[in-house]
Amino acid sequence: PSTEQLLQHEIFNEIALKETPYEEPIPLFSTKLRCEKLEIPGYNDNSEMDDKDEDHLANRSIDEVYYLWCLAGGDLEGELKKKGLITTQPPICALPDVITEDNDMYGLVRDSSFLLDDTITILSIDQLRKRLENIDETAYYPLLEDEKSSNLHTSPSSGELSEAANLPLIIREKDIEYQFHRIILYERLLKGYPYTKERIWKEARVDIPPLVRALVWAALLGVE
């Protein structure tokens, strides 16, 4: 077929329908966030949790979900390798063809992993949802003024979380449910700063999650 006949093929009509609106690319040294318009993926179509009324995890911040995703066994480097964004090659392929006495190298092909790649990859959080499925919905919105109730909620999968507070710090920082409750608690306390400063001091004596450690110390030291 001729070029004109090929352009009239139905496959080109399907490509035209799938075209996305043009967006101005972000310059290399721009301070604009590339993840500004990204949203946390919702429930999977085959998920057994589709009957829930509200997706509370999707209301959390991106950095918090990513931190919990890593604790749930998420491997960013592994995911990028699956997508073909990180490739490995034998070390001998990274050698130049010629090296002069002045250490000038010729014939060296630059590895593509050192170049800018603006590809966006959506990470699956189904494993994280599975780890947090036994957490009660009220744990996403803890009460701060109820002194009679404990801040460390119970969980059918991990038992009484107050027992985890007595474990070594390195173990607590790997416990996804314990970190989940502590992060949400500190988020509520930081939103009430400076009125909750005494409560922040009290909780800091127990521990501070790595994700919010800098913010908590800034609040305790009075740094704006």
Side-chain angles (χ1 to χ4, degrees), residues 76-146:
L76 179 60
E77 184 175 348
E79 293 293 335
L80 295 179
K81 286 182 178 179
K82 292 179 182 179
K83 301 295 183 179
L85 299 178
I86 295 180
T87 57
T88 57
Q89 60 180 357
I92 193 173
C93 296
L95 296 177
D97 295 335
V98 178
I99 301 179
T100 65
E101 295 180 354
D102 299 329
N103 292 328
D104 294 330
M105 294 181 290
Y106 299 92
L108 179 62
V109 179
R110 190 171 185 181
D111 192 351
S112 60
S113 61
F114 293 97
L115 304 177
L116 174 65
D117 190 347
D118 59 353
T119 303
I120 296 177
T121 302
I122 305 299
L123 303 176
S124 174
I125 58 174
D126 292 341
Q127 184 176 358
L128 175 59
R129 294 186 186 278
K130 189 69 176 178
R131 293 288 301 273
L132 300 179
E133 64 179 354
N134 293 324
I135 294 180
D136 191 83
E137 296 181 356
T138 58
Y140 288 87
Y141 316 98
L143 296 177
L144 302 181
E145 300 299 330
D146 190 0

Side-chain angles (χ1 to χ4, degrees), residues 2 11 17 23 55 78 100 109 117-118 163 174 203 208 212:
S2 64
I11 189 174
L17 293 176
E23 293 186 3
D55 185 6
T100 65
V109 179
D117 190 347
D118 59 353
E163 298 178 0
K174 299 297 182 181
E203 297 297 337
I208 305 176
V212 297

